[in-house]
Amino acid sequence: IRAGGTISAIFGPDFAQQDAHAVQVRMPEPPLLLADRCTGIDAVPGSMGKGVCWTETDVRADSWYLHDGAMPTGIMVESGQADLFLISYLGVDFLNRGERAYRLLGCEMTWEGDLPAIGETLAYEIHVDGHAAQGDVRLFFFHYDCHVRRADGTTRPALRVRGGQAGFFTEAELAASAGILWRPERQEIRTDARVDPPAVPASARRFERPAIEAFAAGRPWECFGEGHARTKTHTRTPRIQDGRMLFLDTVEVFDPAGGPWGRGYLKAGTPITPDDWVFAGHFKNDPCMPGTLMLEGCVQAMAFYLAAMGYTVERDGWRFRPVPDETYSLRCRGQVIPSSRELTYEVFVEEVHDGPTPRLYADLLCTVDVPGAFHARRFGLELVPSWLLTSRPELL
């Protein structure tokens, strides 16, 4: 009901004043409604003050988003979506009055462990820390912590988000955004960075959709060439998501010595159409692609880069995950909406390690048609072992 129905039915009669507004701050509708339950809330409704809420998300064997037994990176971040629930409860739509829509602006993000697996529950504690206004634009600030509860009842820290910023904008303000102003030529990078060569050079520098689908389906030799023939012996080769969770349509450029820094570069793109599934229910009457799925597309582009470098050839059963215990700065300044035409992912390599744990550090930039929409500074992705009987306990 909270995602697509009448808000006052959940929050009470004081919220009836906003029920007639087409655009409100809502949780996404399925399939991107990922919070299974709100277990508590400590806030004064309609006060536009501070507050905290707690939510949980179960990772089940039949969860639609699973990738080789684990929750993908972008889906894990999207599961912490109850800042929407909390800011709505605090009464922001009493002020927006159907004229302004929610958009995430950025945060600092730190993974504190592995990606969640089947049988685990993500427990989020989400805080609204304050509010501000810049002219007519209202902003709010938040942070959250995510712990994973295992099937045996023990818990571990999983994800920490700090400096979260979001705002409420009119259609005109969103259309007038200048986008991300970051440029790689102006970025200071590490002068002593490690940049290892390919282990098995890919036979191509451009990859079309059939080749990318072959990699996602677990047939990397069809994508990268006969130098990857050893992967035919793999029980489960490292790969990216397939089906509707595959966000790369074409890899236009793969160059291990390219880019403005001369350390490596990848450029990928995908067309946007009005009937793309990412617009279904995110949000009701306000369709836009979550920034978390832009991040997911960037992670896939990084994984593709590591595989194209040949680092998966000798690593049967391994998988990709964000490098833990490092903080990443993410900024959103644009939107993908049904009228958009193309989303482009760029990976600007700063550092690459060939082993024993292959790692890639890169700046990530998403552009929508022309304006930059998303940027992450020095994001880290690594290859780690993931044996079948630990990542798929249902086989036992």
Side-chain angles (χ1 to χ4, degrees):
I1 295 174
R2 176 63 188 78
T6 302
I7 303 299
S8 62
I10 301 298
F11 290 163
D14 288 346
F15 287 79
Q17 60 183 288
Q18 71 183 68
D19 284 343
H21 297 152
V23 175
Q24 302 179 50
V25 179
R26 295 180 178 273
M27 302 277 274
E29 294 180 292
L32 288 171
L33 179 58
L34 300 170
D36 289 316
R37 53 195 165 271
C38 177
T39 59
I41 189 164
D42 182 6
V44 178
S47 67
M48 283 301 289
K50 300 179 181 180
V52 58
C53 72
W54 296 265
T55 65
E56 293 184 348
T57 298
D58 300 322
V59 184
R60 301 180 298 273
D62 62 350
S63 293
W64 65 267
Y65 49 72
L66 285 177
H67 179 58
D68 291 338
M71 176 181 273
T73 300
I75 295 294
M76 182 181 184
V77 179
E78 181 62 30
S79 297
Q81 58 196 198
D83 64 301
L84 293 155
F85 186 90
L86 183 54
I87 194 64
S88 175
Y89 188 74
L90 289 168
V92 72
D93 282 313
F94 297 174
L95 304 174
N96 289 336
R97 301 185 62 80
E99 298 172 354
R100 293 181 174 274
Y102 167 100
R103 292 294 185 270
L104 177 67
L105 297 175
C107 63
E108 309 290 327
M109 193 168 294
T110 307
W111 273 264
E112 298 180 288
D114 211 344
L115 295 169
I118 294 171
E120 296 183 328
T121 294
L122 290 76
Y124 289 90
E125 180 175 302
I126 300 172
H127 295 253
V128 167
D129 300 316
H131 308 266
Q134 294 182 355
D136 294 330
V137 176
R138 283 178 287 277
L139 309 173
F140 78 97
F141 309 97
F142 65 93
H143 76 273
Y144 69 71
D145 292 286
C146 173
H147 286 74
V148 164
R149 186 170 65 247
R150 305 181 181 93
D152 62 7
T154 60
T155 62
R156 63 173 178 86
L159 180 64
R160 183 172 69 249
V161 170
R162 295 293 182 268
Q165 305 172 37
F168 307 94
F169 305 92
T170 65
E171 289 187 20
E173 289 165 347
L174 291 169
S177 172
I180 293 288
L181 301 180
W182 178 86
R183 294 293 180 269
E185 296 81 4
R186 299 198 295 264
Q187 178 65 56
E188 292 186 9
I189 59 175
R190 298 188 179 184
T191 57
D192 59 347
R194 175 179 167 183
V195 184
D196 290 331
V200 180
S203 60
R205 289 292 181 264
R206 178 184 174 91
F207 302 85
E208 303 297 335
R209 178 80 182 195
I212 298 171
E213 288 179 343
F215 173 49
R219 303 188 305 276
W221 62 91
E222 293 182 12
C223 179
F224 301 115
E226 281 303 308
H228 290 243
R230 184 179 178 86
T231 61
K232 295 180 182 180
T233 70
H234 285 182
T235 299
R236 189 179 68 192
T237 193
R239 63 191 185 100
I240 58 177
Q241 291 92 308
D242 56 8
R244 64 176 171 179
M245 282 294 288
L246 176 58
F247 293 111
L248 309 181
D249 188 74
T250 304
V251 173
E252 301 173 17
V253 179
F254 163 68
D255 186 352
W261 305 334
R263 299 179 180 182
Y265 176 72
L266 183 144
K267 180 180 181 181
T270 190
I272 303 298
T273 62
D275 59 353
D276 283 347
W277 73 270
V278 298
F279 299 130
H282 190 281
F283 301 99
K284 181 179 179 179
N285 299 326
D286 178 31
C288 62
M289 181 180 185
T292 54
L293 294 189
M294 293 188 210
L295 170 62
E296 182 60 39
C298 289
V299 168
Q300 291 179 21
M302 293 180 73
F304 190 97
Y305 189 95
L306 284 172
M309 294 286 282
Y311 297 156
T312 66
V313 173
E314 301 291 336
R315 293 179 171 87
D316 184 10
W318 292 45
R319 60 180 171 81
F320 303 99
R321 72 174 188 186
V323 176
D325 303 318
E326 298 196 26
T327 299
Y328 309 116
S329 174
L330 282 64
R331 296 291 178 264
C332 301
R333 293 295 185 273
Q335 58 177 352
V336 179
I337 56 178
S339 61
S340 301
R341 294 187 175 184
E342 185 174 21
L343 176 58
T344 300
Y345 303 95
E346 292 181 274
V347 177
F348 299 89
V349 175
E350 182 172 8
E351 193 165 356
V352 60
H353 303 182
D354 59 7
T357 300
R359 285 184 173 180
L360 174 64
Y361 292 95
D363 275 55
L364 309 173
L365 181 66
C366 288
T367 57
V368 183
D369 298 332
V370 176
F374 171 89
H375 173 246
R377 168 64 187 139
R378 194 178 155 80
F379 195 89
L381 192 74
E382 65 183 5
L383 264 168
V384 295
S386 177
W387 315 122
L388 281 172
L389 292 183
T390 56
S391 62
R392 293 189 62 192
E394 70 273 16
L395 293 178
L396 295 174

